[in-house]
Amino acid sequence: MCTFGTMASRAAVRDVGRALGVPLPDVDRIAKMIQDSHIEEAIAKTPELRQQMQDNPKLADLLTMAPRPRASCATPRPTRQP
């Protein structure tokens, strides 16, 4: 999966959650907790988010994987071959 640098953290969480098969209500609840521009900052500042990560391993996977595609994708637009 490839996301682009302009993609917001909330959108990255929703996309990775969809890819991991996390139920949509859980993904929406987590995405709404992210108010900062970076997921790592939101985890550090939001006790509820940290608690969700401790209680649900799938949500912990989601939040650890979501920042990676955005930061590691080097594919320029467009991604489709002409």
Side-chain angles (χ1 to χ4, degrees):
M1 182 170 90
C2 179
T3 58
F4 301 97
T6 58
M7 185 174 228
S9 294
R10 286 179 167 187
V13 166
R14 287 189 172 105
D15 286 346
V16 173
R18 198 174 309 123
L20 292 176
V22 178
L24 186 59
D26 291 342
V27 173
D28 281 340
R29 186 177 68 250
I30 295 301
K32 288 177 183 175
M33 289 184 198
I34 298 172
Q35 300 297 322
D36 298 305
S37 59
H38 299 288
I39 294 169
E40 295 88 356
E41 290 176 17
I43 293 169
K45 292 180 181 178
T46 312
E48 286 180 72
L49 201 52
R50 287 193 304 272
Q51 185 64 43
Q52 291 288 326
M53 289 178 71
Q54 291 174 356
D55 293 345
N56 189 335
K58 202 161 197 173
L59 293 179
D61 289 343
L62 164 66
L63 288 168
T64 55
M65 293 175 76
R68 287 188 193 157
R70 184 185 62 186
S72 65
C73 182
T75 305
R77 275 195 162 138
T79 58
R80 213 181 267 190
Q81 294 292 331

